[in-house]
Amino acid sequence: MDLGLTGKRALVCGASSGLGRAVAEALAAEGVHVALLSRDAAKLQVVADGINAAASGRAVVVPADLADHAGLLAAVDTAEDLLGGPIEILLNNTGGPPPSGVAGLDPDLWRAQFESMVLSVFRLTDRVLPAMRAAGWGRILNVASSTVIEPLGILGVSNTLRAGVAAWAKTLATEVAADGVTVNTLLPGRIDTPRVQKLDQARAEQTGVTAEAARATSVESIPVGRLGDPAEFGAVAAFLASPKAAYVTGSLIRIDGGAIRAI
């Protein structure tokens, strides 16, 4: 299926690995020109080189730290200069905090994580929205987590802040829908990424088992019987970014192999 994305311009956060990389590759395969953003310029360049060698779109590198808001906004300026026009597709994708509960956490930890996981999303979106609304077309995609629906005790900070982003996104969707801009939030379950591998290791240390055993136990809870492939996540994101998904907005999209038990 041709998704009708050829020539569109996208900014993908967290594009050096994992879910962000998968989305960047999926978009580029559909002919999107993609700006890749994360802190690690060297890793981004590897991803860009792969995309430019294999895909019908093209990729440019714009290193930035999500916690550095001035640098982040400057990176958007650079991305638009390199891509030749305003950003039309934005993937908000922030790193997850260390595993923890929520009781008694240092307020400075909450502030730091809010800056990088939440406020950066608001700032980036506010930066690109005016041009999207003026053009009558745009796509805002936010990567959250299945824990927005079913919180996990070991991911207290992530549970809290990602739920806030989901609520913000639902509110924003109603404000910009009439302008041709959609806003959707992706809820990945256990996708086979470095982040999930780290969480397996943390669970293993907490329970006194091996990482392999922790991973096997979690797989048993997934109805499809396996971890997700990042490319599967990327394919869903590419569809939601396309003109064909124009009637999907304000939604929480589960990509979890059926693991969420709630209706």
Side-chain angles (χ1 to χ4, degrees):
M1 178 188 295
D2 181 359
L3 294 181
L5 284 168
T6 300
K8 295 290 187 184
R9 295 176 294 273
L11 176 64
V12 176
C13 298
S16 61
S17 66
L19 299 179
R21 177 175 183 168
V23 172
E25 291 172 344
L27 290 173
E30 294 293 331
V32 177
H33 303 316
V34 184
L36 310 176
L37 187 149
S38 83
R39 288 175 296 181
D40 194 321
K43 288 184 178 179
L44 286 178
Q45 192 60 57
V46 170
V47 178
D49 290 345
I51 287 174
N52 289 328
S56 53
R58 68 184 180 95
V60 299
V61 169
V62 286
D65 186 337
L66 291 174
D68 175 6
H69 294 151
L72 194 58
L73 296 180
V76 181
D77 294 340
T78 300
E80 292 184 334
D81 287 344
L82 292 173
L83 297 180
I87 297 299
E88 298 164 292
I89 300 165
L90 171 64
L91 182 80
N92 287 312
N93 177 36
T94 65
S100 74
V102 294
L105 290 182
D106 188 333
D108 288 339
L109 185 150
W110 283 111
R111 291 188 188 96
Q113 292 300 326
F114 182 83
E115 287 279 339
S116 62
M117 292 180 63
V118 180
L119 195 55
S120 64
V121 170
F122 298 170
R123 290 272 181 85
L124 272 177
T125 303
D126 285 342
R127 166 61 178 78
V128 302
L129 261 180
M132 291 181 179
R133 300 178 86 172
W137 197 94
R139 298 289 184 265
I140 306 295
L141 297 175
N142 309 296
V143 179
S145 168
S146 61
T147 62
V148 167
I149 295 177
E150 289 190 355
L152 286 176
I154 66 168
L155 295 178
V157 176
S158 181
N159 295 341
T160 304
L161 298 184
R162 295 201 192 284
V165 169
W168 162 84
K170 179 63 175 177
T171 306
L172 179 64
T174 64
E175 295 179 3
V176 300
D179 299 317
V181 179
T182 66
V183 185
N184 290 293
T185 301
L186 304 172
L187 305 182
R190 291 186 55 76
I191 313 292
D192 196 4
T193 63
R195 166 71 172 170
V196 165
Q197 293 163 14
K198 289 181 181 178
L199 292 177
D200 283 340
Q201 184 61 46
R203 188 177 291 106
E205 293 171 0
Q206 185 181 58
T207 58
V209 300
T210 66
E212 292 75 14
R215 180 185 181 102
T217 298
S218 66
V219 167
E220 289 174 2
S221 68
I222 304 172
V224 301
R226 63 175 176 83
L227 298 186
D229 187 325
E232 294 171 318
F233 183 91
V236 175
F239 171 73
L240 290 171
S242 76
K244 297 184 182 300
Y247 206 58
V248 181
T249 194
S251 294
L252 298 175
I253 309 297
R254 306 178 186 195
I255 310 168
D256 69 336
I260 295 174
R261 295 300 189 256
I263 295 172

